[in-house]
Amino acid sequence: MSLPKAEVRRLFKRRVTRIFLAITVIGLALFPLAFTINSKPATAERRAAAEAQAQREFELATAQFEQMRTECEAAKARGETGLDDRYGPDCGAGYGPQQEWFSAQQYMDYEFNFRDEFQPSLAVLAGILAMVAFVVGASFVGAEWHTGGMMNLLLWRPRRVPVLLTKLGVLVGSMLGVTAVLGALWTVAFWAIGRFDGQLGVLTPGVWQSIGLTGLRGVTLVLLAATIGFCLASIGRHTAMALGVGIGAIVVSEIGLRIVFELLRVQFGDRYILSTYLVAWFEKSMTIIDYRACNFVNGPCTPPEYVVTWQQSSVLLGAVLVLGVFGAVWSMRRRDVT
Amino acid sequence: MPAVLEISGLEKTYRSRRRGARKALDGFDMVVESGQVHGFLGPNGSGKTTTLRTLLGLITPNGGRMTLLGQPVPAALPRVAGRVGAIVESPQFFPNFSAHDTLSLLADAGGVTKQRVVEVLELVGLRDRAKDRVRTYSLGMKQRLAVASALLKKPDLLILDEPANGLDPGGIREMRSLMRGLAESGMTVVLSSHILAEVQLICDSVTIISRGRRVAYGPVADVLAQHAGGGVTVRLESADDLSVAAEILIAAGARVTPDDDRLVVTNVEKPAWVTRTLAERGYYVSELAPVKVDLESVFLELTQTAPVAGQARQVDDSAVVASSQGGWGV
């Protein structure tokens, strides 16, 4: 008997899975496409053209400045007053355009830099995949409960907890596979953009290690989202339960609590917001700065800071994971299938 | 014949914060012997589906003992599940999968060959619609698919909850021959149904449940005989004499109910007594026949669910019987 094999088939046969994966792939493809279109490599011709444009802009600004000075001198000769307010002291003699203000870099097209910009892009990838994993995970078990598929399966495989954990395992394994494939394609796409339409930067082993660790944190986040979606839908025996809790968490935590903390002027209120811990997990730490504590009118001030570390995040997210899985298993063991 | 399904003293109480506790099963007993087609009857809300779900491990009972194929359940359910095919209540399937996908996924999960999927689709008449999505199926087609899913693992015991629900007359007849054929091949079939005429035709034995307790059980013929009451219908040469004849029989100790152009006479030891009693007073019987009972009338009598003019019967208004003392299924 191969329950895992059947569940893998079931997962990828489902329309929700297929549609969400198709939309995700198309949506994600738009990012490298946009970078490809916008990024232009800094060739010698483009650099020369930018330098020429910078020179033209400098000369234009200088000519405009000289014309303004001439008008100012003429007005001074006519005995007009208040010229300092309009042109500055001495007809703005010390404010003329400087050559260094017009660097060629300003007139260069955008050029993608793999080393500097790829890691932040992983946060976008992980965020999108985590949302998709949450919905697919919730729907995978929620629809099974709702349509009676779970009951049919339990008539064949009466060991409830192994059935639930097999489904969860299949979901996590499949999401890991999908994330790994999409992550690899994402990396190759952006590497190619850097290589052919931008620049790669200096890619030392340390840089690759850092990218790898960021990717690993992203994968963890995706698998966590899938598991939490699955467990919530399993506890509620309906996909809507997970989606409701997800939307509720966003409304309560990200909007409601922020407004309340702002009104109550709670110091470091963001440390009670869920997304702070997600960011801290991904970025290794997140610093919350209390600007309200400073009155900058009285002079320089260093506002107090509160740092949320990835270790704190891992404790919180781990607790959520354990609670979710425990709740789903308990519910599966104890509640009647009616 | 050995019993393939035995239930003794099964109890299940549903608890709700708002409605309190409600006993769905109250010491229910049931025995199904091997190779039989066994009818499982009861009014709505009497505990049929709860019994079947409990037996199949979907509901945890509060008390009682159950065995399936000689193994105690739910403990041994994983061992016997492969030999028990079941559909419980209305057929439920993922609407976007085809019948073939649905069965093939179950076959994968249960280690059944793909060839068997084709066989059962053929058997229930869904071969030509096997690739269509279940959402396009009628209730009868979903019912056929449910039966197919239950037959997929070639079970020794087949438990079907309302399998004829939604079937057209031809489908009902096909289902009847299917049940018979399966029983003849050695399979035991437990059939829960409200189509009592069908049950009377198909089943060898029945169990009737009311308010969570067994009110009748045994071979269909025995159950009918037990409730026939030994009554006879009497016709006279002249229908005008019926009222006088009724008075004579009542005076002689019989119970008489007028029914159109005849009398229904009960509480008599032998039919001949009726003929003799009336003949002695100069009234001659033109027709004397035993009262025929069918499963429906027995069911309505036992469960006290016969409709009463001017009353709207509620689902829990059915017979309550004293708890049985019979022990393990007897």
Side-chain angles (χ1 to χ4, degrees):
Chain A
M1 295 192 183
S2 178
L3 186 58
K5 185 182 147 203
E7 290 306 314
V8 170
R9 275 187 64 209
R10 190 192 306 277
L11 176 62
F12 288 100
K13 256 191 178 300
R14 301 196 60 241
R15 275 206 310 180
V16 167
T17 311
R18 288 180 175 185
I19 290 172
F20 265 81
L21 282 183
I23 292 173
T24 304
V25 169
I26 293 167
L28 289 177
L30 293 177
F31 286 87
L33 188 68
F35 276 90
T36 307
I37 293 168
N38 286 299
S39 179
K40 301 280 187 298
T43 57
E45 292 78 21
R46 287 204 175 96
R47 186 162 292 281
E51 282 170 0
Q53 189 177 355
Q55 185 60 33
R56 281 198 301 277
E57 294 293 331
F58 172 65
E59 287 166 3
L60 182 63
T62 304
Q64 286 171 342
F65 178 72
E66 289 306 326
Q67 186 184 351
M68 186 195 72
R69 268 184 62 82
T70 307
E71 288 168 4
C72 177
E73 295 296 344
K76 196 188 276 184
R78 287 194 298 274
E80 288 182 22
T81 58
L83 294 174
D84 284 2
D85 293 339
R86 283 165 60 194
Y87 297 102
D90 195 18
C91 285
Y95 299 100
Q98 307 294 313
Q99 180 80 53
E100 62 267 25
W101 295 354
F102 297 85
S103 69
Q105 196 61 38
Q106 290 174 270
Y107 301 97
M108 293 287 285
D109 288 320
Y110 166 73
E111 184 185 24
F112 174 74
N113 184 306
F114 181 82
R115 178 197 160 114
D116 296 342
E117 296 173 66
F118 179 66
Q119 263 179 281
S121 83
L122 286 176
V124 175
L125 176 68
I128 291 171
L129 289 181
M131 280 191 287
V132 171
F134 183 87
V135 174
V136 168
S139 167
F140 181 45
V141 72
E144 284 285 292
W145 277 114
H146 181 57
T147 60
M150 183 65 93
M151 193 183 76
N152 283 338
L153 184 58
L154 290 175
L155 292 178
W156 283 69
R157 306 290 293 248
R159 291 185 201 275
R160 295 190 193 184
V161 174
V163 165
L164 184 80
L165 294 180
T166 302
K167 275 181 172 287
L168 178 58
V170 163
L171 172 74
V172 170
S174 301
M175 284 300 121
L176 178 64
V178 167
T179 307
V181 170
L182 290 178
L185 289 174
W186 184 266
T187 307
V188 169
F190 278 100
W191 182 87
I193 294 167
R195 171 71 182 77
F196 299 107
D197 276 337
Q199 53 179 299
L200 290 172
V202 182
L203 295 174
T204 61
V207 171
W208 281 115
Q209 188 183 24
S210 177
I211 288 172
L213 287 173
T214 306
L216 208 56
R217 284 195 293 272
V219 169
T220 312
L221 217 53
V222 172
L223 300 187
L224 178 74
T227 306
I228 296 300
F230 179 94
C231 290
L232 287 173
S234 189
I235 291 167
R237 296 187 173 179
H238 204 294
T239 311
M241 164 77 170
L243 301 185
V245 171
I247 293 168
I250 291 170
V251 171
V252 172
S253 173
E254 304 306 315
I255 302 172
L257 284 181
R258 275 185 207 282
I259 293 171
V260 170
F261 292 155
E262 196 59 35
L263 290 174
L264 297 177
R265 303 178 75 80
V266 175
Q267 193 182 29
F268 306 124
D270 278 5
R271 67 179 148 157
Y272 303 112
I273 307 288
L274 184 63
S275 61
T276 300
Y277 291 86
L278 296 178
V279 173
W281 166 257
F282 204 82
E283 303 284 341
K284 288 185 275 193
S285 69
M286 181 173 167
T287 305
I288 306 166
I289 302 168
D290 182 20
Y291 288 106
R292 273 198 303 258
C294 278
N295 186 351
F296 292 100
V297 176
N298 297 334
C301 168
T302 306
E305 293 179 352
Y306 182 90
V307 179
V308 177
T309 63
W310 71 268
Q311 288 93 337
Q312 288 171 303
S313 294
S314 59
V315 169
L316 178 76
L317 299 178
V320 169
L321 177 70
V322 169
L323 270 179
V325 173
F326 177 80
V329 169
W330 182 87
S331 164
M332 188 71 172
R333 266 183 82 92
R334 303 288 297 178
R335 286 174 60 197
D336 289 338
V337 180
T338 53
Chain B
M1 274 184 286
V4 291
L5 185 162
E6 292 185 86
I7 295 173
S8 172
L10 192 62
E11 292 186 0
K12 176 64 187 179
T13 302
Y14 290 113
R15 295 177 199 284
S16 152
R17 283 207 190 98
R18 268 191 292 173
R19 292 181 216 132
R22 187 179 67 78
K23 271 195 167 182
L25 294 173
D26 189 8
F28 178 68
D29 303 317
M30 184 173 177
V31 178
V32 177
E33 290 173 352
S34 176
Q36 286 190 337
V37 179
H38 185 93
F40 184 30
L41 317 176
N44 292 334
S46 59
K48 293 189 303 294
T49 301
T50 299
T51 303
L52 298 183
R53 284 178 188 268
T54 308
L55 200 59
L56 295 165
L58 301 173
I59 288 177
T60 309
N62 299 112
R65 289 189 296 161
M66 299 177 288
T67 65
L68 274 178
L69 303 164
Q71 302 278 330
V73 289
L77 202 53
R79 284 202 298 279
V80 296
R83 297 166 61 199
V84 179
I87 55 171
V88 184
E89 237 172 9
S90 55
Q92 293 180 315
F93 297 102
F94 198 67
N96 289 318
F97 286 174
S98 68
H100 188 273
D101 287 341
T102 302
L103 296 184
S104 132
L105 284 167
L106 282 175
D108 269 355
V112 174
T113 63
K114 293 281 188 286
Q115 182 54 36
R116 180 66 184 156
V117 173
V118 178
E119 282 170 18
V120 291
L121 284 168
E122 173 80 33
L123 194 63
V124 299
L126 284 176
R127 183 194 57 208
D128 297 336
R129 297 289 300 273
K131 299 286 181 189
D132 292 358
R133 283 184 181 171
V134 173
R135 72 159 69 240
T136 65
Y137 283 12
S138 66
L139 178 59
M141 290 167 70
K142 285 179 189 167
Q143 202 70 51
R144 287 166 188 262
L145 178 57
V147 173
S149 74
L151 290 173
L152 199 55
K153 42 188 165 180
K154 287 188 182 167
D156 295 328
L157 171 63
L158 184 63
I159 297 174
L160 302 174
D161 196 359
E162 292 291 346
N165 198 12
L167 291 182
D168 52 29
I172 291 175
R173 184 168 285 191
E174 284 169 26
M175 192 63 71
R176 191 192 307 155
S177 11
L178 180 64
M179 303 290 125
R180 272 275 151 236
L182 293 172
E184 279 162 18
S185 72
M187 193 181 292
T188 307
V189 181
V190 175
L191 177 67
S192 162
S193 176
H194 286 129
I195 307 176
L196 299 177
E198 203 57 36
V199 172
Q200 195 172 338
L201 275 174
I202 301 173
C203 295
D204 304 301
S205 58
V206 289
T207 296
I208 301 179
I209 182 174
S210 177
R211 300 281 289 271
R213 289 180 183 176
R214 184 172 69 180
V215 292
Y217 66 99
V220 174
D222 290 2
V223 171
L224 293 175
Q226 281 163 21
H227 296 86
V232 289
T233 59
V234 178
R235 279 201 177 87
L236 300 182
E237 287 178 335
S238 166
D240 297 339
D241 296 335
L242 280 177
S243 56
V244 181
E247 284 171 16
I248 293 167
L249 291 171
I250 290 168
R255 253 186 247 127
V256 180
T257 312
D259 182 20
D260 289 336
D261 59 343
R262 60 185 190 163
L263 298 174
V264 178
V265 183
T266 54
N267 203 28
V268 291
E269 279 186 17
K270 290 180 179 173
W273 176 86
V274 175
T275 316
R276 194 172 60 242
T277 306
L278 290 174
E280 284 169 358
R281 304 289 296 271
Y283 295 94
Y284 298 100
V285 173
S286 65
E287 183 185 308
L288 184 71
V291 173
K292 283 185 183 167
V293 289
D294 58 13
L295 200 53
E296 183 174 292
S297 55
V298 171
F299 176 87
L300 293 175
E301 182 199 327
L302 286 171
T303 59
Q304 294 170 18
T305 51
V308 178
Q311 282 183 25
R313 189 180 64 81
Q314 303 302 301
V315 285
D316 286 337
D317 293 346
S318 56
V320 182
V321 293
S323 65
S324 67
Q325 301 294 315
W328 187 236
V330 291

